[in-house]
Amino acid sequence: MNYSPRHMKWWGWGDVDAGFDSSRHPGFWPFAKKQLGIERETSPTPPAPLEGVELPEAIVKPRFLAELKSTLHADQVCDSRYERVIHAYGKGFRDLFRLRRGSAEGAPDLVVYPESEGDVLVTLRAAAHHDVMVIPFGGGSNISGCLERMENERMVVSLDMRRMRRVLEVDAESFTARMEAGVFGPDLEEQLSAHGMTLGHFPDSFMHSTLGGWIATRSAGMQSDKYGKIEDMVIALRMATPEGVLATRTVPNSSNGIDVNHLCIGSEGTLGVITEATMRIHPRPEARIVPAYLFPEFEGGLQAMRECVNRECMPSMVRLNDPDKTALSLAFKPAASQLSQTASKIFKRYLRVRGFDLPRACLMMTAFEGRRENVAHEMRRVNAIYRKFGGVSLGASSGKSFEATKYDFPHIRDFLLERDVTTDVSETSTLWSNIVPLYKATMGAIRDSVLESGVPPFSGCHISHTYRSGASVYFTFGFMQQVGREMEQYLRVKRAAQQSFMDHGATLSHHHGVGTEHLPWLAADISPLGVKAVAAIKRGLDPGNIMNSGRLQPSADPFEEWSRIGGPVKAKLKAKAKVQSQA
């Protein structure tokens, strides 16, 4: 195995030596400045130095620590400043906003790196015995608030799963593979490729997220139209809990009561730690083509997507941008040669002749993959449908720039945060009949909530992850920060978007999970009795409430707590150790 997982930079996305190079995308920053009303350049604001990050007092339980050290290797138990900071948060806006300003009040007291399911069980049993809270940690890419400590009374351990990264068994005859949960996306695909196989799960966070994290948050990959979401791929799993190991059998399907797999899928570390999963896999595709299309308007592109679903000829990936998101995508494209610029001008003239009003035009990115003859056949069928609704092909190779940069978009957020710009996303899913009303209502809610703070908004949307009955609707927004009111601005916009989902018949999240970011809306989404059922399951598997407490259980006043997260730190943080007496 050549892939070696590394921690992302503690203050942003991706490897320490990776970032957004604006010189390669010369149109992006001018576009952003115009959209956001930024009239003059300011010097980028660097993050606070690591040594300047303020940490909470470390709570230490000596007997718990001694029990771990008697079983685990010395390098599996860490309490350094770096380890605590890197495991303090995920990569949501609130997380990065605090870290960049030198505040890590969400940091754990200790980090443990298990190397086997036995190590996980040892840690959980000791934690249960000594009343220590445990937060499972994969790649740290979560943006919904699943990784921050939610209480300061108990010692908190971050359980980093990255050393459990093996593909244990591949059954090519049955198209299944058994894997450890800490395996990262590139690592997983590298190991499967040796057998000529792929999982087919490629989320935006693919480079920096793990199988266990995908399962725990109900992740969706870019090619879910072909392969399904992560829950569609799980055949069996093992989850270590404070009460022991929950395990299911590797069978193609069953009728054995409540689906125990789905008690674990989406559990966000609240019931236990997913240690292993058996997944459906597929032969690696012989061919892959990534064409793009342009539609005269948003509704036509949407109708084309729905007809492809009805005729069962969907690409493996489809992503329809609205006009604003189209403008953003075009601004992000790499610098073009003189020849390409000339060709682009000619093509624009052609589109005008075809009746395109370019400011209303919508870009659709697609991908087709599989056996060569099947790819060619599906492309012909899809092209005919797209033409019916006014779509114009931009060529079979037009998606190459998207393909080359598809995992780079999160770097834009760091670039903008350095320039005092807030950006974030809210995503949901709804029925086909409701997409346009929801889209219009939510775009209006986002823009109005930004304008309330007196700055110009940017908002755009794309449709992806299609189903027989509907699709995912994904909103992107941004605005210039007002000094001293940054979090207030963000919460106003985020709340407006999420409330619009609830008010207009959508779900609180399609693939980013619940965490703390979406928790206040959970009861409205699954009903108060549904929340009660989740609580009953947790009591059965985690009676001491040591597993990632504060998730999937809304408080009596959820919006009050939600509003406080990321707000001003009331008490000065201290970096010295605090020893907690052993009862």
Side-chain angles (χ1 to χ4, degrees):
M1 293 183 291
N2 297 321
Y3 179 82
S4 179
R6 297 189 294 171
H7 286 299
M8 285 194 274
K9 58 175 77 83
W10 60 267
W11 51 267
W13 186 266
D15 296 334
V16 173
D17 53 358
F20 176 68
D21 182 355
S22 59
S23 66
R24 294 183 58 199
H25 307 271
F28 174 74
W29 182 230
F31 171 83
K33 288 197 295 182
K34 181 179 179 181
Q35 293 289 316
L36 303 176
I38 302 172
E39 296 179 353
R40 60 190 181 88
E41 288 287 350
T42 56
S43 299
T45 305
L50 178 62
E51 59 273 15
V53 175
E54 293 185 281
L55 288 166
E57 292 185 7
I59 300 172
V60 181
K61 285 204 167 185
R63 294 182 186 177
F64 168 74
L65 198 56
E67 193 170 330
L68 285 187
K69 289 183 175 181
S70 69
T71 307
L72 305 179
H73 301 299
D75 68 345
Q76 291 181 263
V77 183
C78 310
D79 62 358
S80 70
R81 164 176 287 272
Y82 172 77
E83 291 285 354
R84 293 184 67 202
V85 170
I86 205 75
H87 291 87
Y89 300 113
K91 299 300 182 185
F93 169 75
R94 297 201 221 197
D95 303 330
L96 298 183
F97 182 81
R98 285 178 284 180
L99 280 172
R100 290 181 63 86
R101 283 156 179 77
S103 175
E105 67 268 27
D109 305 303
L110 190 71
V111 179
V112 173
Y113 289 91
E115 296 177 353
S116 66
E117 184 177 270
D119 290 349
V120 175
L121 284 170
V122 163
T123 305
L124 296 191
R125 287 168 183 157
H129 180 70
H130 296 284
D131 194 26
V132 171
M133 193 175 85
V134 177
I135 302 176
F137 190 99
S141 63
N142 182 271
I143 64 170
S144 297
C146 289
L147 303 178
E148 174 182 358
R149 72 186 300 159
M150 297 305 295
E151 56 178 78
N152 298 314
E153 292 75 28
R154 294 190 287 177
M155 184 180 182
V156 175
V157 171
S158 178
L159 199 64
D160 191 312
M161 298 293 290
R162 69 187 56 229
R163 296 189 187 181
M164 294 177 61
R165 49 183 285 253
R166 296 174 298 161
V167 172
L168 300 167
E169 179 184 359
V170 174
D171 182 344
E173 184 177 3
S174 305
F175 296 109
T176 65
R178 187 165 61 92
M179 318 170 192
E180 291 180 311
V183 62
F184 281 68
D187 197 357
L188 182 155
E189 287 295 326
E190 181 182 298
Q191 294 182 66
L192 287 181
S193 68
H195 300 270
M197 296 291 175
T198 180
L199 180 63
H201 190 73
F202 301 97
D204 289 353
S205 62
F206 173 76
M207 301 295 292
H208 306 286
S209 54
T210 64
L211 174 66
W214 299 340
I215 295 171
T217 57
R218 292 187 176 270
S219 168
M222 295 184 191
Q223 297 176 190
S224 69
D225 295 275
K226 180 179 178 70
Y227 299 109
K229 286 182 68 190
I230 198 70
E231 59 263 35
D232 304 312
M233 305 176 184
V234 176
I235 294 176
L237 52 72
R238 294 178 65 85
M239 184 172 76
T241 81
E243 293 292 287
V245 177
L246 183 156
T248 59
R249 297 172 72 98
T250 302
V251 292
N253 222 315
S254 64
S255 175
N256 52 11
I258 293 172
D259 188 343
V260 176
N261 279 341
H262 279 263
L263 297 183
C264 308
I265 299 168
S267 58
E268 299 188 9
T270 61
L271 305 179
V273 183
I274 297 166
T275 58
E276 184 182 301
T278 301
M279 310 294 290
R280 289 187 177 89
I281 57 174
H282 308 267
R284 293 186 68 81
E286 294 176 357
R288 178 174 171 83
I289 303 176
V290 284
Y293 301 82
L294 205 64
F295 284 83
E297 38 79 35
F298 189 56
E299 284 79 0
L302 198 58
Q303 288 178 298
M305 290 176 72
R306 185 165 59 86
E307 182 144 339
C308 285
V309 171
N310 291 341
R311 294 195 180 187
E312 299 181 348
C313 59
M314 282 299 297
S316 62
M317 182 203 79
V318 61
R319 181 174 293 194
L320 173 67
N321 292 344
D322 76 348
D324 295 287
K325 192 69 178 291
T326 295
L328 174 61
S329 296
L330 295 177
F332 186 74
K333 66 181 181 180
S337 66
Q338 188 64 44
L339 179 62
S340 296
Q341 292 178 36
T342 302
S344 177
K345 290 176 182 178
I346 295 171
F347 186 69
K348 286 179 180 178
R349 286 199 293 270
Y350 165 74
L351 291 174
R352 291 190 185 97
V353 171
R354 288 283 302 268
F356 273 70
D357 178 7
L358 292 181
R360 295 184 60 208
C362 295
L363 180 68
M364 181 185 282
M365 302 303 306
T366 65
F368 297 83
E369 68 174 42
R371 299 182 65 177
R372 287 185 179 84
E373 60 269 27
N374 292 344
V375 166
H377 176 67
E378 289 301 304
M379 278 192 66
R380 286 194 295 270
R381 295 183 66 197
V382 169
N383 283 337
I385 292 171
Y386 287 179
R387 285 195 299 270
K388 175 182 173 181
F389 292 97
V392 172
S393 173
L394 302 182
S397 62
S398 54
K400 285 185 177 179
S401 62
F402 171 81
E403 194 82 344
T405 60
K406 62 186 177 182
Y407 301 127
D408 293 346
F409 287 100
H411 291 296
I412 297 176
R413 184 180 47 178
D414 296 338
F415 175 85
L416 292 174
L417 275 172
E418 291 176 354
R419 289 154 179 81
D420 301 322
V421 174
T422 294
T423 57
D424 201 22
V425 298
S426 285
E427 46 80 25
T428 185
S429 66
T430 194
L431 300 174
W432 287 113
S433 59
N434 193 44
I435 287 179
V436 172
L438 174 73
Y439 163 73
K440 291 180 177 178
T442 305
M443 288 289 280
I446 290 172
R447 287 171 175 166
D448 289 347
S449 60
V450 175
L451 288 170
E452 282 182 39
S453 63
V455 295
F458 171 82
S459 58
C461 176
H462 72 256
I463 312 296
S464 56
H465 307 294
T466 59
Y467 305 93
R468 184 73 176 177
S469 56
S472 171
V473 190
Y474 194 106
F475 296 88
T476 302
F477 57 83
F479 49 87
M480 197 68 189
Q481 296 171 359
Q482 292 180 317
V483 178
R485 298 179 58 197
E486 299 93 344
M487 196 59 64
E488 175 190 335
Q489 283 179 291
Y490 169 75
L491 294 180
R492 180 189 293 115
V493 181
K494 187 70 175 179
R495 184 166 182 171
Q498 295 299 132
Q499 193 59 50
S500 180
F501 297 164
M502 293 294 100
D503 292 343
H504 295 90
T507 186
L508 61 82
S509 175
H510 172 262
H511 57 265
H512 284 158
V514 181
T516 54
E517 200 69 17
H518 307 134
L519 188 58
W521 293 274
L522 184 60
D525 204 355
I526 68 172
S527 83
L529 192 58
V531 172
K532 187 175 180 179
V534 172
I537 295 168
K538 182 171 177 64
R539 285 194 299 272
L541 295 179
D542 179 25
N545 189 28
I546 67 161
M547 296 304 309
N548 209 9
S549 69
R551 273 79 185 191
L552 301 183
Q553 293 295 301
S555 65
D557 189 358
F559 282 105
E560 191 278 332
E561 185 173 304
W562 180 82
S563 299
R564 280 192 290 106
I565 297 172
V569 181
K570 294 180 180 179
K572 182 173 175 60
L573 299 170
K574 299 177 182 178
K576 62 185 180 182
K578 174 183 175 184
V579 178
Q580 192 177 83
S581 60
Q582 192 77 34

